[in-house]
Amino acid sequence: MSRIITIAHQKGGVGKSTLALNLAYSFAKNVNTILTDIDPQGSTIQLQGLIPDVTIIPFSNNIYNQNFEALFIDTPPYLMNEMLPIFLKSDLVIIPTKAGVPDIMAIRSTVELVKEAQKSNKKLKAAIVLNMVKPRASITEQAKEQLKEYDLPIIGEIRDRVAYTNTFLTGGVLTSSDENAKEEVRKLTSEILELL
């Protein structure tokens, strides 16, 4: 059965594309996976044909008719008119955020749009991923407390590592030598599968 997973946050710089690409790599180890990007800048689309195992194609309404078991949709750093229809088609919306106050505050609009979509799409689930987390930062625990107000599960914790920075050059963290990064992606993949 196919699943559609959208990575969304209206703020830029929270690592949406890096997360989408690493999750697509992770899923592609076991299932037929497509990655698309609705951002007009299309940084992910520029990897089309360069990435083994993951099919990367431009977004269009026809994408839902493609042959896939997992479809990852990367989104731009702002809410656009196309977001609600995409959420209505999705099985899961992942909202990555840094642990900073401005990033956490900026989630609100994305969460509200998800909750609006859930009124019509009863199967739609959503979760928050703490992304680009600084090591041993007490702000991470404070962030988790603040995020409770959104009443969404917090899954995974992706640290700020060089392996993620190099994702677009190396084929994702799963091909890197960073065992901690690999374990973070595997753990997040497992938690996503549990939600689905």
Side-chain angles (χ1 to χ4, degrees):
M1 182 177 280
S2 60
R3 291 288 182 263
I4 299 170
I5 301 155
T6 300
I7 318 291
H9 188 311
Q10 70 169 28
K11 190 174 182 301
V14 296
K16 286 189 297 290
S17 296
T18 300
L19 190 62
L21 188 55
N22 276 296
L23 286 172
Y25 278 128
S26 182
F27 271 70
K29 300 280 181 205
N30 298 299
V31 297
N32 180 17
T33 302
I34 291 177
L35 174 61
T36 191
D37 189 351
I38 64 168
D39 188 346
Q41 304 254 335
S43 56
T44 304
I45 295 301
Q46 292 174 37
L47 298 173
Q48 190 175 14
L50 302 175
I51 304 296
D53 302 324
V54 178
T55 302
I56 299 177
I57 55 177
F59 180 82
S60 73
N61 287 327
N62 187 45
I63 201 159
Y64 303 112
N65 300 324
Q66 300 291 320
N67 178 30
F68 65 85
E69 291 167 278
L71 168 62
F72 285 89
I73 303 175
D74 190 12
T75 62
Y78 49 85
L79 295 179
M80 54 196 289
N81 293 336
E82 290 87 349
M83 288 295 240
L84 183 58
I86 287 169
F87 286 3
L88 289 170
K89 291 266 193 186
S90 297
D91 296 285
L92 174 65
V93 174
I94 294 174
I95 308 169
T97 185
K98 291 182 181 176
V101 173
D103 302 284
I104 290 169
M105 289 174 59
I107 281 181
R108 185 175 305 281
S109 298
T110 306
V111 171
E112 286 172 358
L113 194 60
V114 166
K115 297 207 170 181
E116 184 181 336
Q118 285 175 325
K119 292 174 187 173
S120 300
N121 179 1
K122 303 297 184 190
K123 68 180 174 125
L124 177 61
K125 296 180 179 176
I128 296 167
V129 173
L130 278 169
N131 203 24
M132 303 166 76
V133 174
K134 303 292 184 193
R136 294 179 295 280
S138 61
I139 194 169
T140 304
E141 291 309 312
Q142 295 168 16
K144 287 179 181 176
E145 280 302 309
Q146 283 183 286
L147 288 166
K148 284 181 182 174
E149 75 170 279
Y150 296 116
D151 197 28
L152 292 175
I154 300 170
I155 61 171
E157 189 172 305
I158 303 294
R159 300 215 169 244
D160 189 7
R161 302 182 191 278
V162 172
Y164 294 111
T165 308
N166 291 336
T167 287
F168 285 83
L169 303 172
T170 62
V173 298
L174 295 178
T175 62
S176 78
S177 59
D178 188 330
E179 294 302 324
N180 291 321
K182 289 180 188 179
E183 184 54 32
E184 288 168 1
V185 171
R186 288 188 196 113
K187 184 174 184 291
L188 180 55
T189 299
S190 295
E191 290 185 79
I192 288 169
L193 289 170
E194 283 176 27
L195 276 176
L196 292 171

